[in-house]
Amino acid sequence: MKILVINGPNLNLLGRREKEVYGDITLDEINEGLRRQFPKIDFHFFQSNTEGEIIDELHTAIDSDYVGVVINPGAFSHTSIAIRDAIATINRPVVEVHLSNLYKREEFRRHSLTAAVCTGQIVGFGAMGYSLAVDALLRLKEQH
Ligand code: DQA
């Protein structure tokens, strides 16, 4: 079973960036943790700081053999209609993850343009949010 995990801008800097908000863990450690926790899943991990590259990667999920997509669009969640439109074209479940609890933070982070076209959203659980999202995709798959 294949799952696509996409991380957007500045998430390559996890472990060095605003540690009081995002903690010490790096993106590589998060991805390694998923591989360890779900050894049977064939993960494809993708990170980009560029909107168009994220859109191109989302397009690879259309009619694909991915069980679903986990995406942390970073700040693009609050700004990108183009990423929202790309997610809306994907005929697979998509789970949006944010490490921090957006609803405890600045007003501009409380609105996600992308969440409305996702299957669901997981916020505020730090790195654990990614494994909750993978678990959700696997449970959704079991239901079908
Ligand atoms: C984030 C939240 C966004 O508001 C922010 O721009 C990020 C990280 C999170 O995972 O909590 O880059 O997506």
Side-chain angles (χ1 to χ4, degrees), residues 34-90:
L34 289 178
R35 280 211 181 90
R36 256 200 319 274
Q37 197 187 341
F38 301 97
K40 292 190 181 143
I41 302 297
D42 180 10
F43 285 107
H44 179 60
F45 295 112
F46 179 82
Q47 190 278 328
S48 174
N49 296 319
T50 305
E51 190 176 22
E53 287 181 4
I54 293 169
I55 292 166
D56 287 342
E57 193 63 29
L58 282 165
H59 289 175
T60 69
I62 301 168
D63 294 331
S64 68
D65 52 358
Y66 286 122
V67 169
V69 180
V70 176
I71 183 166
N72 182 346
F76 286 145
S77 312
H78 318 300
T79 63
S80 178
I81 296 170
I83 289 180
R84 175 194 170 113
D85 287 349
I87 293 172
T89 64
I90 296 175

Side-chain angles (χ1 to χ4, degrees), residues 9-11 17 22 72-78 97-102 105 109 130:
N10 300 308
L11 292 161
R17 165 192 188 207
Y22 301 115
N72 182 346
F76 286 145
S77 312
H78 318 300
V97 171
H98 295 280
L99 294 139
S100 61
N101 183 344
L102 303 178
R105 299 186 64 194
R109 292 186 206 276
Y130 292 89

